[in-house]
């Protein structure tokens, strides 16, 4: 391809304009300039015009770019998603038909279970999965990004047993869908993945509660696995939330969208409000009990902006008796 002298990208890492051929990927550019980048680790993604993209992003017009490693929030999320897909492939290779559920983040990792089989993940099986992940990573298999008509992707997901992804795609008005291919499996994510499995050498898979904990590298010491410790209260809060979703029969966004389209939103709101009121009464009773036993002089409520802290404090104030 003839070089287009007019095509340049501005690299924030080096604070300079760099010539690039039209159609070249940012991975190719990274390979030529990585020795001049002040990164603490290997680049796992690129910020292109302030949007996170994978390293295989092709350039056809001038861009503002910044290569990111896993010390950045965006980079660590890219790495985590990639590890999740490697775990999914390992499970599919060893136990075809089993459905992986990555439920929530906890203790510097992600808690995982097998759907409908809470007692399946024994320490021996977890060790097998870890070994298979290590083999996949050693093979340095590329994550291939593809984009096709959503109707086609739905059928592909249906054949692979990804029912939650099928429900989600069927419930949204999206003409095309981006998905990733790793060997013989596919999956979709809410963001990009790393270039290949060889970039995921630092990880661990350990038994945790009735499932397993997927751990990535420590962001301060990139050659070491992130440390974890039991967090029983936080884990119980997540478990209660999952059980709550089971009661209202909404386990994913696709099911929620279906319920709304089916006209069940008013009923759903009433059921959720009733369950929340019951939970507030239980909390108020616990505060009252502790108060009369000589404790609970101060009650603290934590949460992000607009999460309902003020509303919750008022409800507890009106419910709690002294």
């Amino acid at each position: 391809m003839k070089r287009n002298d007019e095509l340049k990208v501005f690299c924030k890492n080096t604070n300079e304009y760099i010539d690039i051929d039209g159609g070249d990927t940012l991975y190719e550019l990274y390979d030529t300039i990585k020795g001049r980048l002040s990164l603490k680790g290997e680049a796992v993604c690129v910020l292109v015009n302030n949007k996170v993209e994978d390293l295989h992003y092709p350039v056809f017009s001038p861009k503002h770019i910044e290569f990111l490693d896993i010390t950045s929030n965006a980079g660590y999320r890219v790495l985590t998603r990639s590890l999740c897909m490697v775990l999914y492939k390992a499970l599919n290779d060893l136990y075809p038909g089993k459905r992986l559920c990555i439920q929530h983040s906890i203790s510097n990792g992600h808690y995982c279970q097998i759907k409908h089989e809470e007692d399946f993940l024994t320490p021996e099986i977890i060790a097998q999965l870890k070994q298979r992940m290590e083999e996949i990573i050693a093979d340095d298999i590329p994550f291939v990004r593809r984009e096709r008509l959503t109707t086609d992707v739905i059928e592909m997901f249906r054949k692979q047993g990804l029912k939650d992804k099928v429900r989600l795609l069927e419930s949204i008005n999206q003409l095309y869908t981006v998905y990733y291919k790793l060997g013989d499996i596919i999956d979709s994510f809410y963001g990009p993945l790393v270039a290949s499995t060889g970039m995921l050498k630092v990880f661990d898979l350990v038994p945790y509660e009735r499932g397993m904990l997927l751990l990535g590298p420590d962001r301060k010491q990139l050659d070491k696995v992130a440390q974890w410790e039991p967090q029983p209260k936080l884990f119980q809060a997540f478990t209660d939330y999952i059980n709550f979703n089971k009661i209202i029969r909404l386990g994913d966004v696709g099911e929620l969208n279906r319920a709304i389209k089916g006209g069940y939103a008013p009923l759903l709101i009433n059921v959720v409000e009733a369950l929340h009121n019951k939970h507030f009464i239980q909390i108020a009773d616990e505060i009252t009990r502790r108060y009369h036993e000589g404790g609970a002089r101060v009650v603290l409520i934590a949460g992000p902006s607009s999460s309902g802290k003020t509303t919750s404090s008022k409800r507890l104030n009106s419910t709690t008796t002294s």
Side-chain angles (χ1 to χ4, degrees):
M1 180 183 294
K2 183 179 179 180
R3 174 172 292 278
N4 180 0
D5 293 332
E6 298 301 321
L7 183 54
K8 299 176 183 288
V9 296
F10 180 82
C11 181
K12 184 177 179 180
N13 305 88
T14 59
N15 196 35
E16 64 178 335
Y17 285 96
I18 302 176
D19 293 324
I20 189 170
D21 287 341
D24 281 359
T25 67
L26 291 177
Y27 188 82
E28 293 172 297
L29 176 62
Y30 170 69
D31 195 45
T32 62
I33 68 169
K34 59 183 178 182
R36 297 190 284 125
L37 303 181
S38 299
L39 298 176
K40 294 183 179 179
E42 193 172 5
V44 293
C45 61
V46 194
L47 202 60
V48 182
N49 292 353
N50 293 327
K51 181 181 178 183
V52 180
E53 302 284 359
D54 61 45
L55 288 168
H56 292 302
Y57 182 89
V59 178
F60 295 99
S61 60
K63 302 291 182 184
H64 182 286
I65 66 170
E66 180 182 4
F67 291 97
L68 303 176
D69 58 27
I70 65 170
T71 60
S72 66
N73 292 331
Y76 200 81
R77 287 192 290 267
V78 168
L79 179 134
T80 300
R81 287 192 291 268
S82 306
L83 277 174
C84 289
M85 190 166 188
V86 172
L87 174 56
Y88 171 37
K89 177 167 173 55
L91 179 66
N92 187 74
D93 289 348
L94 298 178
Y95 301 97
K98 299 295 183 183
R99 287 291 291 117
L100 176 66
C101 290
I102 301 176
Q103 295 186 340
H104 49 76
S105 60
I106 189 170
S107 189
N108 290 323
H110 284 72
Y111 180 68
C112 311
Q113 279 191 329
I114 304 302
K115 194 168 186 177
H116 305 311
E117 297 185 59
E118 292 185 349
D119 298 323
F120 176 79
L121 290 172
T122 63
E124 293 74 20
I125 289 179
I126 294 173
Q128 292 174 10
L129 291 171
K130 179 182 176 181
Q131 180 179 353
R132 181 60 188 137
M133 289 182 68
E134 290 173 342
E135 294 169 353
I136 294 170
I137 291 170
D139 289 339
D140 198 19
I141 305 172
F143 290 96
V144 181
R145 182 187 186 275
R146 292 181 176 174
E147 186 173 7
R148 294 182 61 175
L149 284 169
T150 298
T151 52
D152 294 340
V153 178
I154 287 175
E155 291 308 312
M156 294 164 63
F157 282 170
R158 199 188 308 276
K159 290 179 181 178
Q160 200 166 280
L162 301 178
K163 297 180 180 179
D164 55 337
K165 300 292 177 73
V166 170
R167 285 191 296 267
L168 176 62
L169 293 179
E170 286 181 337
S171 65
I172 59 177
N173 185 25
Q174 185 170 288
L175 187 58
Y176 281 85
T177 294
V178 172
Y179 66 95
Y180 281 86
K181 186 175 186 294
L182 179 63
D184 57 350
I185 66 166
I186 61 172
D187 205 347
S188 62
F189 299 88
Y190 55 88
L193 306 183
V194 300
S196 66
T197 60
M199 303 174 73
L200 306 171
K201 294 182 177 63
V202 182
F203 82 97
D204 202 357
L205 197 63
V206 298
Y208 191 90
E209 296 290 340
R210 300 184 68 178
M212 58 188 176
L213 196 63
L214 176 62
L215 298 163
D218 189 312
R219 294 173 67 177
K220 295 182 179 179
Q221 302 180 72
L222 302 184
D223 60 338
K224 296 183 179 180
V225 176
Q227 296 297 308
W228 68 277
E229 60 183 28
Q231 295 179 307
K233 291 185 178 180
L234 182 58
F235 182 82
Q236 186 59 50
F238 280 124
T239 301
D240 292 343
Y241 171 74
I242 292 171
N243 292 334
F244 180 86
N245 287 340
K246 289 179 180 178
I247 293 174
I248 61 178
R249 298 182 180 180
L250 294 178
D252 53 61
V253 177
E255 290 181 339
L256 175 60
N257 290 342
R258 281 186 177 183
I260 294 173
K261 288 184 178 181
Y264 295 103
L267 176 61
L268 178 63
I269 292 172
N270 290 335
V271 171
V272 171
E273 281 293 329
L275 290 172
H276 270 295
N277 287 335
K278 180 180 178 181
H279 193 48
F280 268 106
I281 291 173
Q282 293 173 342
I283 295 174
D285 288 343
E286 178 68 12
I287 293 172
T288 302
R289 182 187 66 79
R290 293 191 184 188
Y291 174 80
H292 288 301
E293 291 178 356
R297 290 296 189 269
V298 178
V299 178
L300 304 178
I301 300 177
S305 177
S306 301
S307 61
K309 298 184 295 296
T310 302
T311 302
S312 297
S313 64
K314 290 179 178 179
R315 292 180 70 175
L316 283 174
N317 185 56
S318 61
T319 307
T320 308
T321 57
S322 58

